[in-house]
Amino acid sequence: MKKGIVFDIKRYSIHDGPGIRDTVFLKGCPLRCWWCHNPESQAFEPVVLYRPERCIGCGACESACPNQAIRLTQRGFVADPNLCTNCGVCVEVCPAEARELVGKKVTTQWVMEEIEKDVLFFDESRGGVTFSGGEPLSQPDFLEELLMECRRKDIHTAVDTSGYAPTEVITRIAPYVNLFLYDLKLMDEEKHQFYTGVSNQLILYNLQALSEGGASIWIRIPVIPGVNANPEELEAMSRFISTLRGVENVSLLPYHGTANHKYERLGMSYLLRDLKSPTKEEMEGFSRIFEAKNLEVKIGG
């Protein structure tokens, strides 16, 4: 059995594919999107998350830290990111559970045992399992074995991906995937590089390869004011998507800033802290751009 790093399993999910699903979140992502809602997923190793509102000020974490990374500040007992190795010792000694180690190494068997607890719900709702992240394709061997096990047990599978992975990885796993939830962020390569840290050329190429290979695809577009929430960018996306086969629908996901607190708890800076969500009227206008290309569109989800 392969091993991989998982940081959460969300049960009874209804927004990550058809029916009632379990969403398994794999750790690690090569992108650094400014609007990332799961910053705890980015690192490929477990990370310590700190909730100052739970802290009772006992100082046990500071005393136990082998690297002397933790100091008392106005925000509580904060770890210096230059010294912290995310070893988890502070988590073990915290009596108030103010610190949490996000991510753990598990086997394929462990994940499958968790998934199989909900098979009845999958069967009744025509649901299944979605593998998300982070970027699940960044753990290709682990992901492939999980997909093969799900196929063996007749469990519907979806992979939620940015598409930023070697094409041979996508080609390798595609036979075991019932549905791809494929994120598109920007068509402009320079802007994509600026806002995510990587080029979009491989992402677009892989999406075309999946389309030509007969994959079932749902496109998901985060709509970010000041980034891609404009007619020009969305028109370019709609033109590209309309050339693809296998695209069953397009979801426009309006930006929201609910992840602010996660960045604070991880000691990370959030670059879009003051950004406001697009209005309902704006989202409806954006939706019409895709509908004009005869694409099935939904807002949210």
Side-chain angles (χ1 to χ4, degrees):
M1 285 286 179
K2 304 290 185 185
K3 288 186 177 180
I5 299 181
V6 169
F7 72 93
D8 195 12
I9 296 179
K10 180 181 178 184
R11 301 187 186 278
Y12 316 125
S13 171
I14 57 172
H15 297 298
D16 293 327
I20 297 173
R21 312 185 69 79
D22 282 359
T23 301
V24 181
F25 294 89
L26 277 62
K27 216 164 177 323
C29 184
L31 278 67
R32 291 296 180 268
C33 302
W34 286 27
W35 53 88
C36 179
H37 288 164
N38 290 325
E40 73 276 26
S41 75
Q42 294 177 3
F44 284 87
E45 298 296 330
V47 295
V48 174
L49 183 147
Y50 172 53
R51 295 182 174 86
E53 69 277 9
R54 292 187 183 181
C55 180
I56 60 175
C58 67
C61 57
E62 182 181 20
S63 300
C65 179
N67 301 303
Q68 299 182 327
I70 300 174
R71 292 287 183 272
L72 180 61
T73 70
Q74 290 183 336
R75 288 189 55 244
F77 285 92
V78 176
D80 182 340
N82 295 316
L83 297 175
C84 178
T85 61
N86 292 295
C87 64
V89 171
C90 59
V91 176
E92 296 173 2
V93 301
C94 179
E97 298 184 351
R99 311 185 92 86
E100 176 188 353
L101 192 63
V102 181
K104 62 180 179 179
K105 185 169 286 189
V106 297
T107 63
T108 303
Q109 180 180 352
W110 183 90
V111 176
M112 292 305 301
E113 288 174 355
E114 292 298 308
I115 289 171
E116 289 182 77
K117 294 175 183 178
D118 298 319
V119 165
L120 179 61
F121 297 102
F122 305 157
D123 291 345
E124 291 182 349
S125 67
R126 297 185 179 180
V129 178
T130 299
F131 295 101
S132 185
E135 172 49 68
L137 297 178
S138 292
Q139 297 189 49
D141 295 338
F142 183 52
L143 176 62
E144 182 182 33
E145 188 165 86
L146 285 167
L147 291 167
M148 291 173 69
E149 283 296 301
C150 287
R151 174 61 58 90
R152 190 170 66 85
K153 296 178 183 294
D154 199 27
I155 297 173
H156 183 279
T157 58
V159 171
D160 182 7
T161 178
S162 70
Y164 191 78
T167 304
E168 56 267 27
V169 168
I170 290 186
T171 303
R172 198 172 99 202
I173 69 158
Y176 310 108
V177 180
N178 296 110
L179 174 68
F180 283 91
L181 309 178
Y182 207 101
D183 295 347
L184 275 187
K185 300 167 176 63
L186 285 153
M187 293 300 293
D188 184 290
E189 184 180 7
E190 186 176 340
K191 287 184 178 180
H192 198 283
Q193 180 81 44
F194 182 76
Y195 285 112
T196 72
V198 304
S199 166
N200 63 355
Q201 293 304 299
L202 179 60
I203 291 168
L204 299 177
Y205 179 85
N206 284 338
L207 179 53
Q208 288 178 309
L210 282 175
S211 171
E212 292 168 3
S216 296
I217 305 165
W218 292 8
I219 301 289
R220 309 218 287 190
I221 301 172
V223 179
I224 317 297
V227 178
N228 66 358
N230 61 75
E232 295 76 20
E233 183 62 41
L234 295 174
E235 174 68 30
M237 283 193 192
S238 70
R239 285 198 303 270
F240 175 70
I241 295 169
S242 67
T243 67
L244 302 172
R245 295 180 297 171
V247 175
E248 298 177 4
N249 61 62
V250 177
S251 291
L252 301 180
L253 310 175
Y255 167 82
H256 59 79
T258 56
N260 283 356
H261 66 284
K262 288 187 179 182
Y263 286 83
E264 294 174 357
R265 291 170 176 175
L266 291 164
M268 299 170 64
S269 298
Y270 187 49
L271 298 174
L272 300 180
R273 181 173 300 277
D274 299 320
L275 194 63
K276 294 183 179 180
S277 301
T279 66
K280 178 182 178 182
E281 292 73 23
E282 287 173 324
M283 293 301 299
E284 290 174 347
F286 297 148
S287 178
R288 287 193 286 272
I289 293 173
F290 293 85
E291 290 169 349
K293 298 291 192 299
N294 296 315
L295 295 166
E296 182 178 333
V297 187
K298 62 178 181 177
I299 297 173

